[in-house]
Amino acid sequence: MAPVVDALRARADEVELRVVLTGQHTTLVDQALETFGLDPDYDLGIMSENQSLYDVAHGCLSGLRRVVEDSRPDAMLVQGDTATVCFGALVAHFERVQVGHVEAGLRSHDKWAPFPEELFRRISDAASDWHFAPTGGAAANLEAEGVPRTGIHVTGNTVVDALLCAADVPHAVEDPELASALREERRLVLVTAHRRESFGTPLRRALGAVRTLADEHDDIVIVYPVHPNPSVRSVAQELLADHPRIRLTDPVGYLDLVAALRHAALVLTDSGGIQEEAPTFATPVLVMREVTERPEGIEAGVAELVGTDPERILGRARSVLEGSWNATGANPYGDGRAGERVADIVIADLTGAARRTRDLAPAGARMA
């Protein structure tokens, strides 16, 4: 969301902005705030140990209601597929505030994968007035669900804006394990795995494949920034912690993540954002999910679906490390101006000002 915030602040004579954090993930958000120089106006601090989805829902709904009643905004912008986004959109709808959904229209067409994000995203889109689709394919999904074309704008994804900005920032890697791995004369494999639908056996099978990959290739070092959820952390510690060439770290800062993506020989991930970020550096991405709401990367040949089956993961990972990755497609997720487009559309609609930007493509059109 940082590129949208920056673009709105650049036009402070036209709109007044408030930045709200729910505090759903404190450490992860703090790193992003520092990286992009964001100073929130509200922080609800809802994070609690071992919180459930019910806890998050209650904290978001009650806290955001107070914020909206206090600030009486004309519009609320939400981004992505988290609980914060879904319940934020609902609060705005309940209070008859216009909603803009950044990164709208992504669909796996399976409500259980990613769980619960697929449903969160659909609900957010149903409550929204502006649908800022990152690609023509996402826009086509919205049209197929009956969203009027006038409410759909193909903007590109703000994650590309943020990545391009961060890539230009001089940075010394801060995480000691990642810094050590980058100094080694071994190829780096970056792993991220945290999806709820993989908890239990699927995650254990996927991480078992990661360990086997490390056993087979003594010329690689694997870095895995482990999500703080206990269901992820306990399995990672059990299966991977004692391997000499697997480094388990706390979640790394955004600039550290950019450095890892830039230098990695391979990324194994179930993250949505990384599917969009790694192709900017032509880094091979194997997606450890059965379905993805980001099919454009698969279609463009810059990512592959391998699920959580160990043989599928190992088969493709071995091939990539042996030099068979021949992806030639460009990153299909935008040109780095998505935040500017989102801000321009919102300001034009709220104030009647003329548009300064154009959409990347007509609603429903596939981007090349």
Side-chain angles (χ1 to χ4, degrees):
M1 200 60 129
V4 178
V5 172
D6 286 346
L8 288 168
R9 283 181 173 163
R11 299 178 66 175
D13 58 328
E14 298 171 89
V15 289
E16 185 177 349
L17 177 69
R18 295 285 184 272
V19 176
V20 185
L21 304 181
T22 61
Q24 185 180 339
H25 289 300
T26 51
T27 302
L28 302 180
V29 173
D30 287 345
Q31 293 168 349
L33 294 175
E34 181 179 356
T35 298
F36 291 101
L38 297 180
D39 186 16
D41 299 285
Y42 298 90
D43 186 348
L44 305 183
I46 69 169
M47 183 75 170
S48 62
E49 188 173 356
N50 295 324
Q51 65 186 359
S52 69
L53 288 175
Y54 298 105
D55 299 324
V56 176
H58 178 265
C60 287
L61 287 168
S62 60
L64 289 171
R65 177 185 178 183
R66 291 193 300 270
V67 170
V68 171
E69 290 176 342
D70 175 63
S71 59
R72 302 313 311 173
D74 295 293
M76 179 189 291
L77 300 181
V78 295
Q79 192 276 341
D81 61 6
T82 66
T84 289
V85 169
C86 176
F87 298 119
L90 284 177
V91 167
H93 181 67
F94 294 162
E95 298 296 323
R96 296 185 178 273
V97 173
Q98 292 187 85
V99 181
H101 186 194
V102 181
E103 202 181 66
L106 277 64
R107 297 288 185 272
S108 70
H109 304 291
D110 179 351
K111 72 176 183 178
W112 299 110
F115 170 82
E117 289 85 359
E118 174 78 0
L119 195 62
F120 283 165
R121 203 184 285 277
R122 294 191 205 181
I123 293 170
S124 300
D125 281 334
S128 293
D129 302 281
W130 297 290
H131 301 79
F132 301 114
T135 66
N141 289 334
L142 293 164
E143 276 199 85
E145 294 169 6
V147 176
R149 281 197 173 198
T150 54
I152 303 172
H153 300 276
V154 182
T155 60
N157 200 313
T158 57
V159 73
V160 178
D161 304 28
L163 186 68
L164 293 175
C165 176
D168 289 336
V169 176
H171 175 68
V173 171
E174 296 177 350
D175 183 89
E177 293 289 359
L178 176 58
S180 173
L182 290 173
R183 287 193 297 268
E184 292 191 29
E185 294 183 0
R186 290 186 171 96
R187 292 179 292 173
L188 173 66
V189 175
L190 177 66
V191 174
T192 71
H194 67 277
R195 289 287 180 185
R196 286 178 181 268
E197 69 266 24
S198 295
F199 286 1
T201 299
L203 181 62
R204 298 183 69 88
R205 297 179 77 211
L207 295 189
V210 169
R211 186 179 183 100
T212 301
L213 191 69
D215 289 337
E216 292 180 350
H217 294 79
D218 60 9
D219 66 332
I220 67 172
V221 57
I222 295 174
V223 174
Y224 179 9
V226 183
H227 194 280
N229 190 303
S231 296
V232 178
R233 188 169 290 272
S234 61
V235 176
Q237 288 289 335
E238 177 189 345
L239 297 181
L240 305 177
D242 63 340
H243 197 288
R245 284 179 289 102
I246 299 177
R247 314 290 173 78
L248 303 182
T249 77
D250 289 331
V252 299
Y254 183 65
L255 294 178
D256 276 11
L257 178 64
V258 172
L261 289 172
R262 175 173 270 174
H263 289 91
L266 170 65
V267 176
L268 293 166
T269 188
D270 61 10
S271 164
I274 286 178
Q275 293 177 57
E276 298 165 328
E277 293 165 326
T280 296
F281 301 123
T283 302
V285 183
L286 299 181
V287 183
M288 296 190 297
R289 290 162 57 178
E290 299 303 327
V291 294
T292 179
E293 71 280 23
R294 292 168 170 87
E296 293 85 358
I298 309 300
E299 294 167 0
V302 297
E304 291 186 23
L305 275 175
V306 293
T308 58
D309 177 73
E311 289 307 313
R312 288 170 62 193
I313 294 170
L314 284 168
R316 288 306 296 138
R318 290 166 181 151
S319 296
V320 172
L321 292 174
E322 291 164 8
S324 74
W325 186 265
N326 297 311
T328 57
N331 189 338
Y333 296 109
D335 62 355
R337 296 184 62 199
E340 180 185 349
R341 289 188 183 92
V342 170
D344 187 43
I345 292 162
V346 170
I347 291 172
D349 285 1
L350 290 179
T351 70
R355 284 279 304 273
R356 300 180 182 179
T357 62
R358 292 184 178 180
D359 293 0
L360 274 175
R366 290 274 180 177
M367 294 194 303

